[in-house]
Amino acid sequence: VMKQVFAKIVQMVQSAQDSPTKTASVIQRFEPIYVKAVLAVLPIVLLAGPFLLHWSWATSIYRTIVFLVAVSAVCLGRQRGAGHIVRHFKSGAAGGSF
């Protein structure tokens, strides 16, 4: 029974990947621009702390890391989507036993 459920999940994920939604297509086009913008803003966030806001360097580094974690959630979600899981199980890397 578990194998049938898992097989159905894999089939649904594959069909969703084969025909991406309009939102997924927009995300794919927007993603490279978003990544470049984040990388361009990152040093500004880091340097604005000590020089403009009079934070200590430790505080500025900490807040820059928080900024990076917050904005990278979008990138991470896109890169490690369900397709990775499907490929993992199809290759037999998960042991294949349920």
Side-chain angles (χ1 to χ4, degrees):
V1 174
M2 287 297 286
K3 286 184 180 182
Q4 292 173 342
V5 171
F6 185 71
K8 183 66 175 175
I9 292 171
V10 169
Q11 179 187 13
M12 291 171 67
V13 169
Q14 283 179 330
S15 67
Q17 284 183 331
D18 292 340
S19 58
T21 63
K22 184 185 262 189
T23 304
S25 298
V26 169
I27 290 172
Q28 279 183 324
R29 284 189 313 228
F30 179 66
E31 182 183 18
I33 299 165
Y34 179 80
V35 170
K36 290 174 188 171
V38 166
L39 292 176
V41 170
L42 196 63
I44 296 168
V45 172
L46 177 66
L47 297 174
F51 295 114
L52 298 177
L53 302 170
H54 306 293
W55 296 341
S56 68
W57 278 101
T59 301
S60 185
I61 291 170
Y62 174 77
R63 290 184 179 180
T64 301
I65 292 170
V66 170
F67 169 77
L68 186 59
V69 168
V71 298
S72 66
V74 173
C75 298
L76 257 171
R78 174 68 185 105
Q79 294 296 326
R80 302 291 288 183
H84 171 73
I85 296 169
V86 170
R87 287 188 295 276
H88 177 74
F89 280 100
K90 285 183 98 181
S91 69
S97 62
F98 261 97

